[in-house]
Amino acid sequence: MVRTPLTPEERERGERLGLLLREARRGRSMVEVAASAGLSAETLRKIETGRAPTPAFFTVAALARALGLSMDEIAETCSLAPV
């Protein structure tokens, strides 16, 4: 299966998500947050750096729970609509 290339907008949304997650960690280690969410630290690293800009819904939900974020807050922050 060939994956279609991401649009610039999708990449930007992934960068916004990564920034939100880094800020929400507030000094907690990547390993600690990833373990709390049931993910590998490498998966979290890829999401935070934009190398995995379109993580699965349940991955985002697990990270939201681990970081005390609401899905609404994530959606609003990562929205492509101008703020």
Side-chain angles (χ1 to χ4, degrees):
M1 177 159 115
V2 176
R3 185 174 179 172
T4 58
L6 297 175
T7 66
E9 293 81 14
E10 289 169 323
R11 290 183 195 279
E12 182 182 340
R13 186 172 39 222
E15 290 171 6
R16 289 181 188 185
L17 175 61
L19 179 61
L20 174 65
L21 296 176
R22 281 191 305 276
E23 290 174 351
R25 276 197 294 122
R26 295 184 194 97
R28 290 173 62 190
S29 77
M30 191 175 287
V31 172
E32 177 186 350
V33 171
S36 177
L39 308 171
S40 70
E42 183 59 24
T43 297
L44 179 53
R45 183 181 336 279
K46 286 179 181 178
I47 295 168
E48 284 190 359
T49 61
R51 290 187 319 172
T54 57
F57 172 82
F58 289 105
T59 299
V60 176
L63 286 167
R65 186 175 342 115
L67 293 167
L69 297 170
S70 73
M71 292 300 282
D72 286 337
E73 182 178 0
I74 292 172
E76 183 178 313
T77 299
C78 299
S79 171
L80 295 178
V83 178

